[in-house]
Amino acid sequence: MSTATKEAQRSLADPAQYRPGRTITDWTPEDPSFWRSTGKKVATRNLWIAVPALLVAFVVWQVWSITATNLKDVGFGFSQSQLFWLTAVPGITGGTARILYTFIGPMIGQRRFTAISTVVLVVPLLWLGFAVQNPDTPYSTMIAIAALCGIGGANFSSSLANIGFFYPKQEKGNATGVNGGLGNLGVSVVQLLTPILITSSVLAIGAGQKKADGSEIYLQNAAFVWVPVLIVLAAVAWFGQNDLKVASTPFSQQKVIFKRKHNWVMTWLYVGTFGSFIGFAAALPLLIKTTFPAYSVATYAWMGPALGALARWAGGWIADRLGGARVTILSFVGMGASIIGVITFLPAGSDQGSFHGFFLCFLSAFLFSGIGNGSTFRQIPVIFRGQHLKGLTEGTREHAAALKQAEIESGAVTGFTAAIAAYGFFFIPAMFANFAVTSAMWGFVAFYASCVVVAWWFYARKGAEAPS
C-alpha cells in the first residue's frame, strides 16, 4: 500500500478515536508521518499513565518484604522460616496470575483491564491493615493475605505487553524499559517508605503496636496509605488511557506461543534476570537482618531494587544500540561474578564476614539483573519479527499479516516470560528458608552460567538461528 493511500485512508478515520478513554481502530506506529503527527503523543500519554499504576502494583506485591521484618518485634510469634515464607508466597500468586493477565488483557482491552486490575488491589491492603494490628492473627490468615497481595505482581505482564503495541520497532526497547524499570521502582519505594510510614501516628487508622523497647509503630500504615492512591490511579487509567483494536486478540491467536521454541528459550533467560531481581528484592531485607543484624534494613534494603529498576531502562536503551543478546550475556556474566563476591563476604565459622563487601556485591548483582531485564525484553520483538518476516517483501499483504502476527506473539511472549520469571519471588526466599545461604548462592551462579551458554548459542554466536 502506497504512502498516499495510507494517508487517504487515515484522513477518513475519526480523529476523536485518539482522545483519552477511546478505543483506537487505526494504529500504525511504523508509519513515520503518523508517528510524528499523532502516534507519539498518544503512546506517551498511555505510557505515563501506565508507569505509576504499575509502580504501586509492585508496592502491593512487595509490601510483605518489609512488613515481615517487623512482625516479631510487635509480638507475632512466627519463626524465621515462617517469615521467609510470608515474603515468598506472593511470588506464587504473582507468577500464576501473570499467566492469566498476559492473555486476558488483550481480550478485554488494556485500558479497562489496567483500571480494574489496579482497583482490586485495595482488597488485600485493607485486610492487611487490620490484620497486623492484632498479634493473635493466625499464621494461616497472614499467608492468605500475602497470597492476595501477590496479585499486584501480575499487572506487570499486561502492562508491558500493552505498551509494546503502542511503539514502533526502534523504540520498543526504550519504552518497555521505561515502563518496566520505573514500575519496578515500586520495590524500592515500598522498602524505603514503609519504615518511615509505620512510625507516623498522624497517618494511622487504628491503634499502634508496642515494641519490646517501649516504642510504638503503626504497621497498618504500610497498607492503608496506598488505598486512596490505587483508587485515583484506577480512575486515571479508565478515563485517560486507550484501548488498541490492533492489540485486541482472542486467546486462540495467542496460544500459538506455546509451540514456539523461542518462547521457552527467552523464558529461561528472563527467569535468570527478572527472577533474580524480584527474588533478591524480596529476600534481601530478611537476609540482612539475619546475617548482619547490626545493620539497619531500613537504611540499606531499598538501594538494590532502586538500582536494578533504573538499570532496566539503561539495559533497553543500550540493547537498542548494541544488540540485545550481547547485553544479555554481559548481564549474566556480571551477575555470576557479583554473587561469587557476595559468597566471599558472608560470615563463615569464626570469620564475621564483611557487610560492606556483601552489600556492594549485592548492589552489583541488582545492577546487572536490571540491565538484563531491559535487554531480554528488547530481544523478544526482534526475534519474533525476524522469524515471521524472513523471506517476505515489505509492502505486500503477506508481509503485513506476518508483521501483525509477530506483534501478537511478541506481546504474549513478553507477558508469559514475565509470568514464569515472577516465580523467582517465591523460589529465592524459599531457598534461603530451606538451605544454607552459601549453597543457595552457588546454585544461582550455576544457573547464570547456563544462561550465558543458552544466550550465546541461540542469539549471539556467528550463524545463530535468531540473532537479536
Side-chain angles (χ1 to χ4, degrees), residues 20-22 49 111-116 232-243:
R22 303 295 183 89
I49 292 174
R111 175 185 65 87
R112 298 177 180 87
F113 195 67
T114 299
I116 294 168
V232 169
L233 290 174
V236 171
W238 182 267
F239 292 107
Q241 287 193 307
N242 298 98
D243 291 321

Side-chain angles (χ1 to χ4, degrees), residues 25 27 35 55 118 170 185 190 204 207 212 215 232 235 244 254 266 273 297 314 317 331-332 341 361 386 402 413 456:
T25 58
W27 189 256
W35 181 248
L55 187 151
T118 299
Q170 68 271 19
L185 273 177
V190 72
S215 62
V232 169
L244 285 181
Q254 300 180 70
M266 289 307 300
T273 59
V297 170
W317 184 84
S331 74
F332 283 118
C361 288
V413 171
W456 174 80

Side-chain angles (χ1 to χ4, degrees), residues 92-235:
I92 301 176
T93 49
T96 304
R98 278 188 177 195
I99 298 173
L100 299 175
Y101 278 31
T102 294
F103 302 107
I104 293 174
M107 292 168 64
I108 70 173
Q110 289 292 358
R111 175 185 65 87
R112 298 177 180 87
F113 195 67
T114 299
I116 294 168
S117 62
T118 299
V119 78
V120 298
L121 299 178
V122 167
V123 175
L125 286 187
L126 289 175
W127 196 5
L128 173 61
F130 289 111
V132 294
Q133 296 181 59
N134 180 10
D136 294 324
T137 300
Y139 184 68
S140 58
T141 298
M142 291 300 206
I143 285 288
I145 298 170
L148 287 178
C149 286
I151 296 174
N155 292 24
F156 182 85
S157 286
S158 58
S159 184
L160 262 70
N162 176 47
I163 290 302
F165 277 105
F166 278 96
Y167 283 84
K169 174 185 176 181
Q170 68 271 19
E171 297 192 36
K172 285 184 186 293
N174 185 55
T176 56
V178 169
N179 189 30
L182 296 184
N184 288 172
L185 273 177
V187 179
S188 56
V189 166
V190 72
Q191 294 181 348
L192 174 64
L193 292 186
T194 298
I196 299 171
L197 293 173
I198 64 177
T199 61
S200 174
S201 60
V202 176
L203 297 173
I205 299 175
Q209 301 89 47
K210 292 287 186 181
K211 297 177 70 173
D213 62 6
S215 62
E216 194 169 39
I217 60 174
Y218 305 85
L219 287 181
Q220 64 267 35
N221 290 1
F224 287 154
V225 74
W226 299 107
V227 170
V229 178
L230 286 167
I231 294 171
V232 169
L233 290 174

Side-chain angles (χ1 to χ4, degrees), residues 23-43:
T23 297
I24 297 174
T25 58
D26 182 38
W27 189 256
T28 53
E30 301 294 345
D31 179 356
S33 61
F34 170 75
W35 181 248
R36 287 193 302 268
S37 64
T38 304
K40 186 174 183 178
K41 179 172 64 177
V42 175

